[in-house]
Amino acid sequence: MAKILVTGGCGYIGSHSIVDLIEQGYDVISVDNNARSNPSILNGIENITGKKVKNYKVDLCNFDDTFAIFQENTDIKGIIHFAAYKSVGESVENPLLYFENNLVSLINLLKCVQEFETPYFVYSSSCTVYGNPVEVPVTENTPPRPAESPYGYSKQMSEQIVNEFAKSSGTQCILLRYFNPAGAHPSILIGEMPFGKPENLVPAITQTAIGRLPKMYVHGNDYDTRDGSCIRDYIHVCDLANAHTLSLHYLEQGKNTGLCEVFNLGSGNGVTVLEAIHAFEKVSGIKLNYEIGPRRSGDIVAVYANNDLAKKLLGWVPKFSLDEMMSTAWKWEQRLKADETVFLGTPGELN
Ligand code: WQD
């Protein structure tokens, strides 16, 4: 079984990706310093797959510690690199934290890839690299526009770093541009555990519905969209995870034509904030306590994917609907409330 190193394996997308990789026959190890993730998610992975995944509690910004993982695992065939900070708002307040963490960790990892000649490298990028697109849906050839935050710039720079590294080293790389991940594994044994107060829409919805937040605000309804609220492309986290496994298959089978190919991972459906809220209310039967608030700085009016390339070349077929994203997210929120063992710290705070 090919051994895959997943960075950020205790995180939301990383944990779901590990489940999909194991189910597809890969041997997986994780590296995650748990600074913004909860190691209890590894129990969920084991409950789903029956496999105990080893996690190296290492900060990838520490080169020596990162290098030691590769010395101990010289048979790593591929890497999926999720570990990064991803809060748009926090990145505006603390840009150097984001540039240092997201870029130094990536460069340390690529130095190890070069030293140990790891064949495949899949990078977790983001639709945020498109900035505020002139037209939607965006394709992989839509020219990137100025990012809306240091987080977005860190993703744009990371893509350039991976691209140049691929050209110089011959490592087979793939950049996956996520749209808006949502939902939880159907087993409801793993899901999203936001670090602190959630910035993202779906956890804000479910935490309001369960009472962890008194109410939530729709960040503006005066945009030039069909109902005035922003449009996004929500994609179930399990669909997103499966695309990573398919990317490794694609590289292993030598189907890639370039050293660093790019794929959009979105459902292809643009959904407004208010439509997302109404979808949640429909599947949960709960009237959500929200108000229309002011716009949020840095918000993009509308972005959603043309996902034809991932479908055509990776054989990727997103399966989950918006309703299923909302229903699994809601069931997971209810589980978090019911089962305090999932948190090792106090409820609402990740230790
Ligand atoms: C979606 C919409 C908000 C919360 C995300 C990730 C980022 C990157 C790109 C991966 C916006 C509105 C939200 C709330 C609201 N993903 N909203 N009230 O901004 O598209 O960015 O996707 O790399 O890491 O953050 O997602 O969920 O924050 O916002 O009205 O309480 O929901 O204004 O229009 P966004 P989001």
Side-chain angles (χ1 to χ4, degrees):
M1 279 193 290
K3 181 179 279 186
I4 306 298
L5 171 65
V6 172
T7 75
C10 296
Y12 176 37
I13 307 171
S15 55
H16 287 78
S17 193
I18 288 176
V19 167
D20 197 85
L21 287 165
I22 291 171
E23 289 177 345
Q24 299 284 324
Y26 288 97
D27 174 23
V28 183
I29 55 173
S30 164
V31 52
D32 193 317
N33 65 359
N34 296 136
R36 298 193 172 193
S37 62
N38 192 317
S40 69
I41 209 91
L42 295 167
N43 303 332
I45 292 171
E46 186 176 358
N47 291 338
I48 296 169
T49 65
K51 298 275 188 189
K52 203 172 191 53
V53 173
K54 179 177 177 58
N55 178 60
Y56 290 84
K57 191 166 181 173
V58 158
D59 182 347
L60 294 171
C61 288
N62 180 312
F63 177 75
D64 292 343
D65 290 351
T66 303
F67 192 84
I69 297 171
F70 285 79
Q71 282 178 311
E72 194 178 310
N73 298 274
T74 53
D75 53 346
I76 291 171
K77 277 288 276 183
I79 295 173
I80 305 182
H81 181 39
F82 293 103
Y85 293 161
K86 62 136 211 153
S87 165
V88 172
E90 183 186 33
S91 76
V92 172
E93 288 159 23
N94 197 342
L96 293 184
L97 173 72
Y98 270 66
F99 291 130
E100 180 179 43
N101 182 70
N102 292 1
L103 301 182
V104 170
S105 55
L106 171 64
I107 290 165
N108 283 347
L109 204 51
L110 293 177
K111 283 179 178 174
C112 295
V113 167
Q114 184 145 36
E115 177 65 27
F116 290 87
E117 296 178 336
T118 310
Y120 311 122
F121 187 82
V122 178
Y123 175 67
S124 160
S125 188
S126 162
C127 63
T128 200
V129 302
Y130 294 111
N132 234 325
V134 174
E135 61 177 37
V136 284
V138 292
T139 72
E140 289 79 359
N141 297 317
T142 297
R145 300 188 69 219
E148 296 291 322
S149 68
Y151 162 78
Y153 280 117
S154 78
K155 287 294 179 183
Q156 287 180 340
M157 290 185 241
S158 296
E159 285 200 355
Q160 288 169 1
I161 290 167
V162 175
N163 198 30
E164 292 304 320
F165 171 74
K167 284 191 282 187
S168 68
S169 67
T171 306
Q172 315 278 317
C173 300
I174 282 183
L175 306 175
L176 297 177
R177 291 177 179 164
Y178 309 157
F179 284 70
N180 290 59
H185 190 271
S187 66
I188 315 299
L189 290 170
I190 56 174
E192 188 172 7
M193 290 204 252
F195 176 75
K197 186 174 179 300
E199 252 197 31
N200 294 136
L201 178 64
V202 176
I205 289 174
T206 58
Q207 288 198 15
T208 302
I210 202 112
R212 284 174 68 181
L213 293 173
K215 75 165 75 168
M216 67 164 283
Y217 293 88
V218 171
H219 297 319
N221 70 342
D222 56 352
Y223 289 98
D224 181 15
T225 65
R226 51 186 175 267
D227 63 16
S229 62
C230 293
I231 293 175
R232 293 290 184 277
D233 179 330
Y234 298 95
I235 179 75
H236 196 283
V237 65
C238 290
D239 283 327
L240 212 48
N242 183 243
H244 292 75
T245 310
L246 293 172
S247 295
L248 286 172
H249 287 163
Y250 177 73
L251 294 174
E252 286 174 312
Q253 292 157 12
K255 291 181 176 173
N256 54 315
T257 53
L259 281 171
C260 188
E261 294 184 30
V262 184
F263 295 98
N264 281 341
L265 297 184
S267 65
N269 305 313
V271 171
T272 73
V273 173
L274 289 169
E275 288 165 350
I277 288 174
H278 298 148
F280 174 80
E281 291 180 324
K282 182 181 71 174
V283 301
S284 66
I286 289 176
K287 181 83 183 73
L288 197 68
N289 183 16
Y290 70 90
E291 270 182 36
I292 304 297
R295 292 183 173 191
R296 180 173 72 174
S297 68
D299 262 345
I300 286 156
V301 184
V303 63
Y304 57 94
N306 173 316
N307 60 9
D308 293 346
L309 207 57
K311 285 180 173 173
K312 179 166 170 263
L313 297 186
L314 300 181
W316 185 55
V317 183
K319 298 182 181 66
F320 292 87
S321 65
L322 180 66
D323 286 358
E324 287 167 315
M325 289 178 226
M326 293 300 178
S327 61
T328 51
W330 177 227
K331 286 177 186 153
W332 171 249
E333 188 67 61
Q334 291 170 300
R335 167 130 196 276
L336 288 180
K337 183 176 172 68
D339 179 354
E340 296 309 326
T341 59
V342 173
F343 281 101
L344 302 180
T346 52
E349 289 303 319
L350 293 180
N351 65 316

